[in-house]
């Protein structure tokens, strides 16, 4: 039995690094991909997890498979393709620290996942199925993941969705919004950034924007807002919680760590129990997740930067 199974992109994130001796720009490759990052955080917090996806049967793909196994993520659903290479992403930073991405993804493995390659028995054994909108940018991956979501819904499994919008990977903003809305309508739990919420709803206000998102179908809305913290909303309650002050060096994977920590707190719960959590319970969960996300920014990379339970608890104690 798995607590969480996710499907989607698994790739190498290349982050810039300046050699102080000769000031030459180089790139350091780290394992990444939002659906896998979420699992890695949940796994680090003791949950049983499994990943479904496709990478190249190349040096990068083999590194990614090994990384999943090192993170105690079941890799039996990972396909190594001899035909298509592993997807690569290059991260760059503005002077203010904001990230931008360049992707090498056309005809790459993650978007070439076919529905007949998915081991649906992994879904039979899970409590939560998690996906992101990047699975919807191209075929055949879109149909493969939609088929898996449909299978999970019929099994009564909780569906979790994080749009993780990357403009360069979509043919147009309009198409992206349409596909993100489609994902929202399939989900029980939606994690979305403040920027994505405004993009999809046209509303910047947390209360009003999340209320609009609830009308699409999810029972739980989680809105991340960087330094401003994170906001939750259900039909019964809502609240905004501040993040923690840390020495930030890289924000890659922080939102995924945050959401992996959120999902870890839903272990053994039904969606009806989750949406009926008290305000005190949501406060505990949101503070825990904010600590996980904040700590992830203190190290470079996504999966390599994820904090331990002990680090999260220590940060919480320091801020009591």
């Amino acid at each position: 039995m798995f607590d969480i199974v996710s499907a989607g992109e698994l790739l190498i994130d290349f982050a810039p690094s300046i050699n102080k001796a000769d000031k030459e720009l180089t790139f350091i490759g780290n394992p990444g991909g939002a659906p896998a990052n979420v699992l890695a955080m949940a796994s680090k917090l003791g949950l049983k997890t499994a990943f479904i996806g496709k990478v190249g049967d190349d040096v990068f793909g083999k590194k990614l498979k090994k990384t999943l196994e090192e993170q105690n993520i079941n890799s039996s659903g990972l396909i190594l393709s001899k035909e298509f290479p592993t997807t690569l992403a290059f991260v760059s930073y503005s002077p203010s620290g904001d990230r931008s991405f360049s992707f090498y993804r056309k005809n790459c493995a993650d978007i070439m996942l076919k529905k007949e390659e998915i081991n649906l028995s992994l879904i039979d054994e899970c409590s939560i199925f998690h996906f992101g909108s990047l699975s919807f940018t191209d075929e055949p991956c879109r149909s493969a993941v939609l088929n898996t979501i449909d299978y999970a819904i019929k099994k009564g499994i909780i569906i979790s969705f994080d749009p993780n919008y990357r403009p360069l990977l979509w043919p147009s903003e309009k198409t992206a919004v349409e596909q993100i809305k489609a994902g929202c309508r399939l989900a029980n739990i939606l994690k979305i950034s403040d920027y994505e919420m405004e993009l999809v709803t046209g509303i910047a206000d947390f209360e009003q924007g999340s209320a609009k998102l609830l009308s699409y179908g999810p029972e739980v809305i989680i809105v991340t807002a960087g330094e401003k913290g994170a906001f939750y909303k259900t039909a019964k309650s809502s609240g905004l919680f501040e993040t923690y002050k840390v020495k930030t060096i890289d924000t890659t994977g922080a939102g995924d760590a945050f959401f992996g920590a959120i999902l870890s707190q839903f272990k053994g719960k039904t969606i009806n129990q989750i949406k009926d959590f008290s305000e005190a319970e949501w406060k505990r969960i949101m503070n825990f997740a904010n600590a996980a996300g904040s700590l992830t920014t203190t190290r470079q990379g996504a999966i390599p930067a994820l904090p331990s339970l002990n680090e999260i608890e220590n940060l919480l104690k320091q801020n009591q």
Side-chain angles (χ1 to χ4, degrees):
M1 181 71 179
F2 296 107
D3 297 302
I4 310 172
V5 174
S6 77
E9 68 276 12
L10 178 61
L11 48 82
I12 299 290
D13 280 322
F14 284 94
S17 176
I18 301 292
N19 186 312
K20 292 181 180 179
D22 55 20
K23 296 185 179 180
E24 285 292 320
L25 175 65
T26 59
F27 284 86
I28 298 172
N30 287 305
N37 295 342
V38 169
L39 289 188
M41 185 72 260
S43 179
K44 204 157 189 176
L45 295 173
L47 274 68
K48 291 187 67 177
T49 63
F51 181 79
I52 294 169
K54 195 171 187 176
V55 294
D57 187 12
D58 49 33
V59 64
F60 299 122
K62 289 171 183 175
K63 175 181 174 64
L64 290 167
K65 186 176 189 296
K66 182 180 178 182
T67 298
L68 291 183
E69 292 164 354
E70 289 172 344
Q71 297 295 319
N72 295 314
I73 299 170
N74 183 292
S75 64
S76 63
L78 181 67
I79 306 295
L80 270 69
S81 171
K82 294 189 179 298
E83 186 178 0
F84 304 105
T86 301
T87 301
L88 307 177
F90 287 80
V91 186
S92 58
Y93 299 92
S94 70
S96 64
D98 290 330
R99 294 174 300 154
S100 61
F101 294 84
S102 298
F103 290 92
Y104 290 79
R105 195 179 185 223
K106 187 175 181 180
N107 293 322
C108 286
D110 84 278
I111 61 175
M112 302 309 292
L113 179 68
K114 299 176 183 178
K115 63 182 180 180
E116 55 267 27
E117 293 176 314
I118 292 181
N119 179 5
L120 291 174
S121 68
L122 293 172
I123 307 301
D124 291 334
E125 301 178 44
C126 80
S127 299
I128 296 174
F129 178 72
H130 174 69
F131 72 102
S133 73
L134 295 194
S135 295
F136 290 179
T137 60
D138 297 87
E139 291 289 2
C141 186
R142 180 191 299 125
S143 293
V145 174
L146 282 171
N147 183 68
T148 309
I149 296 166
D150 183 59
Y151 184 86
I153 289 171
K154 289 175 180 175
K155 291 283 183 177
I157 291 161
I158 295 171
I159 307 297
S160 161
F161 175 48
D162 175 6
N164 196 35
Y165 176 57
R166 297 286 180 261
L168 290 176
L169 296 180
W170 293 94
S172 69
E173 183 180 286
K174 180 182 177 183
T175 300
V177 170
E178 289 172 352
Q179 292 297 328
I180 291 171
K181 284 183 177 179
C184 291
R185 294 187 178 100
L186 295 169
N188 302 109
I189 301 166
L190 171 65
K191 179 262 181 189
I192 192 167
S193 73
D194 52 348
Y195 171 78
E196 291 162 347
M197 180 184 73
E198 186 171 2
L199 178 72
V200 172
T201 67
I203 303 169
D205 178 80
F206 288 146
E207 279 284 356
Q208 295 177 20
S210 59
K212 180 70 173 178
L213 291 170
L214 278 178
S215 74
Y216 295 156
E219 287 99 330
V220 177
I221 308 295
I222 309 286
V223 183
T224 55
E227 292 181 352
K228 292 181 284 185
F231 178 88
Y232 85 92
K233 186 172 183 64
T234 67
K236 291 192 171 184
S237 66
S238 63
L240 177 65
F241 295 88
E242 293 182 358
T243 190
Y244 294 92
K245 288 181 172 60
V246 295
K247 187 177 180 181
T248 296
I249 64 169
D250 183 6
T251 59
T252 303
D256 301 327
F258 168 90
F259 197 43
I262 288 275
L263 294 180
S264 77
Q265 302 303 293
F266 297 163
K267 180 179 172 66
K269 303 293 185 182
T270 66
I271 188 59
N272 287 331
Q273 289 172 323
I274 294 167
K275 71 180 184 180
D276 287 340
F277 279 163
S278 66
E279 290 187 31
E281 185 69 359
W282 275 114
K283 180 179 179 180
R284 182 192 68 77
I285 291 169
M286 296 294 284
N287 285 336
F288 181 83
N290 271 333
S294 296
L295 286 166
T296 303
T297 72
T298 64
R299 296 186 280 259
Q300 195 168 58
I303 291 175
L306 297 174
S308 66
L309 176 59
N310 187 54
E311 288 176 308
I312 295 170
E313 290 177 340
N314 284 341
L315 183 59
L316 292 170
K317 286 176 185 176
Q318 292 167 16
N319 288 272
Q320 283 182 342

